[in-house]
Amino acid sequence: MELMVVLAIMLILFGIGIPSLRGFIRENRLVAATQDLFVAVQTARSEALARGARVDLVPAADGDWAAGWLVFVDANGDRQLQRGESVVLRHAALAAGIRVKADFTDGRRPYLAYGAAGRTVTDTGPA
């Protein structure tokens, strides 16, 4: 009888704990994704300064930041990784359910670019 009471209490506690654990995991994934994107922004700027060249941060898939992102030296300023351009950082896809909405640009292919002086530049601006 005592074993049954202990098992019942354990099941109740387990049932209460699982939903809060899911929320905790989801929140930690969101925080990690936010920090990773922030690191990518900082890396793009610092690499632009260090290399004295334009460095871009772009989504890995066509406009979908949740699919991951790339930081690369954009030698020709076209916001697309081409053969011969150095990849500085590559981030894998985010965990399921995490979406990223970035308003870095005017609605065309999203990107964030830094020029040699460490300032943001547009796709038509100087490196």
Side-chain angles (χ1 to χ4, degrees):
M1 188 63 162
E2 291 172 359
L3 182 59
M4 294 296 277
V5 171
V6 169
L7 284 174
I9 291 171
M10 286 179 59
L11 285 173
I12 291 169
L13 291 176
F14 188 68
I16 292 170
I18 290 297
S20 63
L21 182 61
R22 285 186 191 139
F24 178 75
I25 291 170
R26 196 171 330 139
E27 187 175 320
N28 279 344
R29 286 180 179 164
L30 180 60
V31 168
T34 303
Q35 289 173 343
D36 289 349
L37 186 55
F38 183 70
V39 165
V41 170
Q42 288 180 318
T43 300
R45 183 173 186 272
S46 66
E47 285 295 320
L49 283 166
R51 294 172 186 250
R54 179 188 170 120
V55 176
D56 284 15
L57 167 62
V58 299
D62 191 29
D64 184 10
W65 292 95
W69 49 80
L70 297 170
V71 174
F72 66 98
V73 179
D74 192 7
N76 59 5
D78 68 352
R79 302 173 325 277
Q80 295 181 13
L81 181 63
Q82 305 291 332
R83 173 178 258 145
E85 293 178 332
S86 300
V87 175
V88 176
L89 182 135
R90 185 181 307 261
H91 193 282
L94 300 176
I98 296 179
R99 293 179 296 160
V100 178
K101 182 179 183 319
D103 291 327
F104 292 146
T105 51
D106 61 7
R108 294 176 293 163
R109 181 177 166 88
Y111 71 97
L112 178 65
Y114 287 99
R119 294 187 172 171
T120 57
V121 294
T122 64
D123 59 342
T124 58

